Amino acid sequence: MPKEELENDICIHIFTVSAAMVGVCLTVIGLFRAIPALKSINTIGDDLLVIDAFAFLISCLLSYFALRTRSSHRKYKVERAADVIFIGALCLMTIICGLLTYAFI
């Protein structure tokens, strides 16, 4: 598989998964508000989820712009930024899961 196709494939995956993760973040934020038992756990977790949702949205938009650009040099830079933000958002989501688990104990 040529390098150009591989980069497009990775960019498409970042685009679709980050868009889905925005939905996941918003769903969990809604659960915090909808389930009365979780109101006592209303910690920094829901605030971090908002930041995480925005990070996934930025990653999604950067991936989209990378797919749309014609310049290979610009495409590489935008794709790299999307990748870094996506990995950072995944790490933040893991930290949030740890905080929520700790809050339930």
Side-chain angles (χ1 to χ4, degrees):
M1 179 178 282
K3 185 178 179 183
E4 180 80 22
E5 284 183 36
L6 182 61
E7 288 179 2
N8 277 341
D9 192 43
I10 290 170
C11 199
I12 290 169
H13 287 301
I14 290 173
F15 176 70
T16 56
V17 172
S18 59
M21 294 307 288
V22 170
V24 169
C25 290
L26 295 176
T27 301
V28 174
I29 291 168
L31 287 174
F32 272 121
R33 303 292 179 225
I35 300 174
L38 291 179
K39 291 197 186 229
S40 63
I41 303 172
N42 201 2
T43 62
I44 195 168
D46 58 344
D47 297 333
L48 289 175
L49 277 170
V50 172
I51 295 168
D52 204 31
F54 278 114
F56 281 121
L57 177 63
I58 291 168
S59 177
C60 180
L61 292 173
L62 287 174
S63 295
Y64 176 76
F65 291 135
L67 288 169
R68 300 287 297 167
T69 189
R70 300 286 182 228
S71 167
S72 61
H73 179 68
R74 182 179 298 139
K75 179 178 187 162
Y76 177 76
K77 284 180 145 181
V78 173
E79 201 171 66
R80 183 88 168 135
D83 195 25
V84 168
I85 293 170
F86 180 76
I87 295 298
L90 280 178
C91 291
L92 181 58
M93 183 164 277
T94 303
I95 291 168
I96 293 166
C97 289
L99 289 173
L100 293 177
T101 303
Y102 178 73
F104 277 119
I105 297 176

